[in-house]
Amino acid sequence: MPERQQVSTIVNARWVATVDAHNSILENQSIIIDKGRILAILPQTQTEYAAQDTVNLPHHAVMPGLINAHTHAAMSLFRGLADDLPLMTWLNDHIWPAEGRWVNDDFTRDGALLAMAEMIRGGTTCFSDMYFFPNVVAKAVNDVQMRAQLAFPILDFPSSWAQNADEYLRKGLQLHDDFRHHPLINIGFGPHAPYTVSDGPLQKVVAFSAETNMLIQMHVHETAFEVEDATQKSGKRPLHRLHELGLLSPHLQAVHMTQLNDYEIALLAQTGTHVVHCPESNLKLASGFCPVAKLLEAGVNVALGTDGAASNNDLDMFGEMRTAALLAKGVSGNPSAVPASAALRMATINGAKALGIDSVTGSLEVGKSADLIAVQLDDVTCQPFYHLESQLVYSTPSSQVTDSWVAGKRLMKNRELTTIDLPAVLARTQEWKKKIAEADHP
Amino acid sequence: MPERQQVSTIVNARWVATVDAHNSILENQSIIIDKGRILAILPQTQTEYAAQDTVNLPHHAVMPGLINAHTHAAMSLFRGLADDLPLMTWLNDHIWPAEGRWVNDDFTRDGALLAMAEMIRGGTTCFSDMYFFPNVVAKAVNDVQMRAQLAFPILDFPSSWAQNADEYLRKGLQLHDDFRHHPLINIGFGPHAPYTVSDGPLQKVVAFSAETNMLIQMHVHETAFEVEDATQKSGKRPLHRLHELGLLSPHLQAVHMTQLNDYEIALLAQTGTHVVHCPESNLKLASGFCPVAKLLEAGVNVALGTDGAASNNDLDMFGEMRTAALLAKGVSGNPSAVPASAALRMATINGAKALGIDSVTGSLEVGKSADLIAVQLDDVTCQPFYHLESQLVYSTPSSQVTDSWVAGKRLMKNRELTTIDLPAVLARTQEWKKKIAEADHP
């Protein structure tokens, strides 16, 4: 008998949802992990490998880590600060004053750590962030060892991070240089929205993006008001303006997209523009309904995001998958729209495609990074269990996620975080809460 | 110093959401429980009571147990059996064949126990059931000591429980007699739907209900098809037919109601008819949207239900509250619609009103039954925490429910069920699953 090959980790899983091209579901498999990558996926009876760390998961499904394709991580410190309000009251009387007063290096680091703790515990291994002080978030992500795209903000107006569009761009491009070779972090452009960034900076974004292959994430057509207002003022719907500026391409991740006509859906498909759907935020702010079923049918890649915790109010991608699958049926009037397998793809491989990292992550396939989670399915909420994808999407609370690995590094071990000091994060959250609550007097 | 009054239980809670008429939120309170009722709610510093059992909940909110106002408990055994299908494929090829083959005494008992285990763990203390063999469910509810309304089924066609409308009625009225004095169980009429019960049996239901004060639960206007079909065949919308038959009254709990015009909303308000909203089931089956914001504005009492686990796929009332609050905003286009406090009322006191037990339960007030739950709020998903109602509705997973009492009896103690043998229930669920899965070949 030949000597067994030494590897870092073997995960023995009762079920595996690979989310590969065929949505293959496997049973009783060993996932062999070495040097941060998936070396093999094979029946548990095979014995050609020996591992430093063998993890037995007899009641668990293993699946790709979820990809939260749009959030504002640090805003978790504003979770539930102001709810059930008209959008402009929420922004003018609560969120913007709070941001103006509190957002700095410390706030952003503490908020990002709180968000990452919640995300890892809920099965997310990769997220896209859009917030001030992305340099601070990058450092925190590096410490925690999650995977992330940080879309640095670009606005026409000043913030505590930069004074004008040029300064946002300069700082962001510097950040991109600093993290150019980081294995887990990509820096992208985050022009906030059509109504907050003028043509000049957007033209620069298009030019830099073409030159560097950096990706772009932007809020687009979030509300009917945004579209009507722009159309009245300029005679153009925002998406058409972006198209004229050359923004619609596989480099663009257009977030929200609740207002889309058939011509625009075809345009998105034709240009390879990605859509990031945030169903719970869209519901909570009464923004409108993204036509997800139509987009998927047209061949548009639709990823999934929670948006920030100030408008959701959680970063739970299991909940978001479920809401996306349910809402698409209600909105389209078709109970077969966005079946469980499609929702699962939106939360994994579609997110990886949007973020330009689908050769690295988003599915469990040999050669990809070992970005995976384990979900325990013997709880009463998950029983009986007939079909794995349906189970994962429609009746699995994120509290059933027990373990998480990113690039082979175990970030959660039986519900315990290994790279975040959770009590310290919660203690700092308490301190922020006291200060923020005291000052929140609209 | 006078001797302290001996009581059965004192619950010391950091926060209390009373859901009383003023939605009062209290802090650092002792809830004094004796003889199954709330004797007092007073600051923790008071020492006039001594208890056999003192429960300290320093990081918890205590609130009324949730009331799931519409479910088919035993159908939990079909959870996830068939999803993402057109309604008639789902019914004809999966659910009805499975019901025809499997539904008997054993199935109903095992399924009801599974459902009750899930409901208690998720914070539900009271539910309304509509299913075959309500006599078996009644016995199981009595054993578990939850609170329930059992709306016995009435149909024009036969099932394994009864052969025709008269037999359904006879068996149901017998059950009502048997449980007339039960402290936790009410028996009601459950005529299935306008399209499955003809005028004759409905007239009997109205007459018996007037005579006995028994309540009625019925699926009404669940889908557009149901309304169009009836209107074509009879010239009347189903709700108008029910009104002519005398069904619209405070005795009726009309479930679903996704198709309602302004005249009908006014009619419901005027007759005092209750609506039971099941948002996740309506989404999953693409049934349409119940106009909850309009109903509440018109003064209609709207309760909340999960529907059965075959069309949800869970019995999680925390999730249902959240979906109800989010969806109402999206559907009405108003981010202030169904604020957290309203969602909380829908899931508690409004349910109690619909089930005719609001003098007994549905809020935490002196003299009411001690039907309450504790929710632990120091988890990362619940932090920071600015406003209790918002926290409970928008960012509290049901896995944070730690304890549950019904009529002063502790049904869950730090996540452990005290009246259900959970391993035995899960083992029987496994047996059913094997049999049902083998036979499910459409």
Side-chain angles (χ1 to χ4, degrees):
Chain A
M1 188 177 167
E3 204 175 319
R4 294 189 298 169
Q5 184 180 338
Q6 192 70 31
V7 297
S8 60
T9 308
I10 296 178
V11 176
N12 292 319
R14 178 66 186 84
W15 297 277
V16 179
T18 61
V19 198
D20 65 10
H22 312 288
N23 292 325
S24 308
I25 306 288
L26 309 172
E27 297 198 32
N28 301 309
Q29 299 286 301
S30 295
I31 300 172
I32 315 297
I33 299 170
D34 200 42
K35 299 187 181 66
R37 288 177 182 278
I38 298 171
L39 190 66
I41 302 175
L42 71 187
Q44 279 182 29
T45 48
Q46 303 282 343
T47 54
E48 60 205 276
Y49 297 97
Q52 293 171 283
D53 192 18
T54 298
V55 182
N56 291 315
L57 302 167
H59 306 292
H60 300 63
V62 169
M63 61 182 283
L66 300 175
I67 297 178
N68 185 348
H70 180 67
T71 191
H72 310 283
M75 291 185 83
S76 287
L77 288 172
F78 297 140
R79 184 203 310 278
L81 176 63
D83 293 316
D84 303 319
L85 295 170
L87 185 64
M88 293 324 291
T89 311
W90 180 69
L91 284 172
N92 285 323
D93 294 352
H94 298 275
I95 297 301
W96 285 341
E99 285 193 325
R101 175 148 190 176
W102 300 115
V103 175
N104 60 19
D105 284 43
D106 284 349
F107 175 94
T108 307
R109 187 194 58 242
D110 291 344
L113 286 169
L114 174 67
M116 285 191 277
E118 183 187 355
M119 285 194 278
I120 296 171
R121 294 238 301 174
T124 295
T125 54
C126 173
F127 68 105
S128 179
D129 197 42
M130 187 195 281
Y131 210 60
F132 307 106
F133 300 95
N135 50 320
V136 174
V137 180
K139 193 180 167 314
V141 172
N142 176 71
D143 293 345
V144 171
Q145 300 183 56
M146 284 185 83
R147 192 180 293 282
Q149 167 185 277
L150 308 179
F152 64 84
I154 302 169
L155 294 156
D156 285 343
F157 48 82
S159 71
S160 49
W161 189 57
Q163 286 307 302
N164 54 49
D166 279 341
E167 192 183 351
Y168 286 107
L169 271 168
R170 188 164 44 75
K171 284 188 160 177
L173 289 169
Q174 179 61 52
L175 188 63
H176 175 252
D177 274 356
D178 296 345
F179 282 83
R180 189 187 291 272
H181 301 294
H182 198 285
L184 297 175
I185 298 172
N186 288 334
I187 306 298
F189 297 95
H192 173 264
Y195 57 91
T196 48
V197 191
S198 49
D199 286 0
L202 288 179
Q203 283 160 340
K204 287 183 188 167
V205 166
V206 172
F208 284 128
S209 169
E211 189 188 314
T212 59
N213 268 322
M214 286 170 68
L215 304 182
I216 307 162
Q217 181 163 102
M218 188 175 195
H219 303 103
V220 186
H221 287 206
E222 179 169 1
T223 65
F225 173 79
E226 166 195 343
V227 177
E228 282 158 23
D229 192 51
T231 309
Q232 260 190 0
K233 286 178 181 156
S234 71
K236 279 178 216 163
R237 284 166 67 90
L239 198 67
H240 298 207
R241 175 177 154 235
L242 299 186
H243 188 38
E244 288 177 1
L245 289 167
L247 267 156
L248 302 198
S249 85
H251 280 201
L252 181 64
Q253 305 146 19
V255 182
H256 295 311
M257 300 297 250
T258 70
Q259 314 294 320
L260 286 173
N261 58 38
D262 288 347
Y263 168 77
E264 291 166 335
I265 291 172
L267 187 62
L268 294 170
Q270 181 196 318
T271 56
T273 304
H274 307 275
V275 168
V276 181
H277 176 41
C278 301
E280 296 189 356
S281 172
N282 295 160
L283 285 170
K284 187 146 184 289
L285 299 175
S287 303
F289 302 107
C290 177
V292 177
K294 280 189 181 180
L295 286 165
L296 291 175
E297 203 180 322
V300 176
N301 180 54
V302 182
L304 201 59
T306 59
D307 209 346
S311 64
N312 185 309
N313 296 349
D314 63 40
L315 307 179
D316 178 353
M317 283 291 290
F318 272 92
E320 208 74 30
M321 268 202 293
R322 188 167 197 270
T323 302
L326 293 178
L327 187 63
K329 294 167 177 56
V331 167
S332 67
N334 174 8
S336 305
V338 186
S341 58
L344 210 52
R345 294 188 77 81
M346 284 168 63
T348 55
I349 188 70
N350 292 13
K353 281 179 191 161
L355 305 188
I357 50 176
D358 51 312
S359 64
V360 176
T361 190
S363 61
L364 301 186
E365 296 180 82
V366 170
K368 281 200 175 184
S369 179
D371 297 0
L372 47 97
I373 60 173
V375 189
Q376 191 168 346
L377 296 177
D378 56 354
D379 188 74
V380 66
T381 54
C382 308
Q383 289 294 326
F385 157 22
Y386 293 97
H387 304 290
L388 182 59
E389 289 165 325
S390 179
Q391 180 72 40
L392 291 170
V393 171
Y394 294 119
S395 47
T396 299
S398 62
S399 52
Q400 293 303 115
V401 178
T402 58
D403 295 84
S404 172
W405 288 262
V406 171
K409 163 84 183 170
R410 198 168 181 181
L411 302 191
M412 181 163 68
K413 187 172 178 175
N414 200 18
R415 299 288 294 154
E416 293 297 319
L417 301 177
T418 65
T419 58
I420 294 180
D421 179 351
L422 188 55
V425 168
L426 290 173
R428 282 197 299 277
T429 300
Q430 276 298 312
E431 289 166 24
W432 282 108
K433 184 255 166 173
K434 273 180 204 143
K435 286 193 283 189
I436 293 167
E438 266 170 33
D440 181 55
H441 295 298
Chain B
M1 189 178 167
E3 205 174 316
R4 295 189 298 168
Q5 183 179 341
Q6 192 71 30
V7 296
S8 60
T9 307
I10 296 177
V11 176
N12 292 318
R14 177 68 185 83
W15 297 276
V16 179
T18 61
V19 197
D20 65 9
H22 311 289
N23 293 323
S24 308
I25 306 289
L26 310 172
E27 297 199 34
N28 301 308
Q29 298 287 301
S30 295
I31 300 172
I32 315 297
I33 299 171
D34 200 42
K35 300 187 181 67
R37 290 177 183 276
I38 298 170
L39 190 65
I41 302 176
L42 72 187
Q44 280 182 28
T45 48
Q46 303 282 342
T47 54
E48 61 206 277
Y49 297 99
Q52 293 172 284
D53 192 18
T54 297
V55 183
N56 291 315
L57 301 169
H59 306 291
H60 301 62
V62 169
M63 59 183 282
L66 300 175
I67 297 178
N68 186 348
H70 180 67
T71 191
H72 311 284
M75 291 186 83
S76 288
L77 287 173
F78 297 142
R79 184 205 310 278
L81 176 64
D83 293 317
D84 303 320
L85 295 170
L87 186 64
M88 292 323 291
T89 311
W90 179 69
L91 284 172
N92 284 323
D93 294 352
H94 299 275
I95 297 302
W96 285 342
E99 285 192 328
R101 175 148 190 176
W102 300 114
V103 175
N104 61 18
D105 284 42
D106 285 348
F107 175 94
T108 306
R109 187 193 58 242
D110 291 344
L113 285 169
L114 174 67
M116 284 191 278
E118 183 187 354
M119 285 194 278
I120 296 170
R121 294 238 301 171
T124 295
T125 53
C126 174
F127 67 106
S128 179
D129 198 42
M130 186 196 280
Y131 210 60
F132 308 107
F133 300 94
N135 49 322
V136 175
V137 180
K139 194 181 167 314
V141 172
N142 176 70
D143 294 344
V144 172
Q145 299 182 57
M146 282 185 85
R147 190 180 294 281
Q149 167 184 276
L150 308 179
F152 65 84
I154 302 168
L155 294 155
D156 284 344
F157 47 84
S159 70
S160 49
W161 189 57
Q163 287 307 301
N164 53 48
D166 278 341
E167 193 183 351
Y168 286 106
L169 271 167
R170 188 167 43 74
K171 285 190 160 177
L173 289 169
Q174 179 61 52
L175 188 63
H176 175 251
D177 274 356
D178 296 345
F179 282 83
R180 190 186 291 271
H181 301 294
H182 198 284
L184 297 176
I185 297 173
N186 288 333
I187 306 297
F189 298 96
H192 173 262
Y195 56 91
T196 49
V197 192
S198 49
D199 286 359
L202 287 179
Q203 282 159 343
K204 288 185 189 167
V205 167
V206 171
F208 284 128
S209 169
E211 189 187 314
T212 61
N213 267 321
M214 286 170 68
L215 304 182
I216 307 161
Q217 184 165 100
M218 188 176 196
H219 303 104
V220 186
H221 288 206
E222 180 170 0
T223 65
F225 173 79
E226 166 195 343
V227 178
E228 282 159 23
D229 192 52
T231 309
Q232 259 189 1
K233 286 176 181 156
S234 71
K236 277 179 218 162
R237 286 166 66 91
L239 198 66
H240 299 207
R241 176 178 153 235
L242 299 186
H243 187 39
E244 287 177 2
L245 288 166
L247 267 155
L248 303 198
S249 85
H251 280 200
L252 181 65
Q253 305 146 18
V255 182
H256 296 311
M257 301 295 251
T258 71
Q259 314 294 319
L260 286 174
N261 57 38
D262 289 346
Y263 168 77
E264 291 166 336
I265 291 172
L267 187 62
L268 294 169
Q270 182 196 317
T271 55
T273 304
H274 306 274
V275 168
V276 182
H277 176 40
C278 301
E280 296 189 357
S281 172
N282 294 161
L283 285 170
K284 187 145 184 288
L285 300 174
S287 303
F289 302 106
C290 176
V292 177
K294 279 188 182 180
L295 286 165
L296 292 175
E297 204 179 325
V300 177
N301 180 52
V302 182
L304 200 60
T306 59
D307 209 347
S311 65
N312 186 306
N313 295 348
D314 63 41
L315 307 179
D316 178 353
M317 284 290 289
F318 272 92
E320 209 74 30
M321 266 202 293
R322 188 168 196 269
T323 301
L326 293 179
L327 188 63
K329 294 166 176 58
V331 167
S332 67
N334 174 7
S336 305
V338 185
S341 57
L344 210 53
R345 295 187 76 82
M346 285 168 64
T348 55
I349 188 70
N350 292 12
K353 282 179 191 161
L355 306 188
I357 51 175
D358 51 313
S359 65
V360 176
T361 189
S363 61
L364 301 186
E365 296 179 82
V366 171
K368 282 202 176 183
S369 178
D371 298 1
L372 47 98
I373 60 173
V375 188
Q376 190 168 345
L377 295 178
D378 55 354
D379 189 73
V380 66
T381 55
C382 308
Q383 289 294 329
F385 156 23
Y386 293 98
H387 305 290
L388 182 60
E389 290 164 325
S390 178
Q391 180 73 38
L392 291 170
V393 171
Y394 294 119
S395 45
T396 300
S398 62
S399 52
Q400 293 302 117
V401 178
T402 58
D403 294 84
S404 172
W405 289 262
V406 171
K409 163 84 182 169
R410 197 167 180 180
L411 302 191
M412 181 163 69
K413 186 173 177 174
N414 200 17
R415 300 283 301 150
E416 294 297 319
L417 301 177
T418 64
T419 58
I420 294 180
D421 179 351
L422 189 56
V425 168
L426 289 173
R428 284 200 297 278
T429 300
Q430 275 299 311
E431 288 165 24
W432 281 109
K433 185 255 165 171
K434 273 181 203 141
K435 288 193 282 190
I436 293 166
E438 265 168 34
D440 180 55
H441 295 299

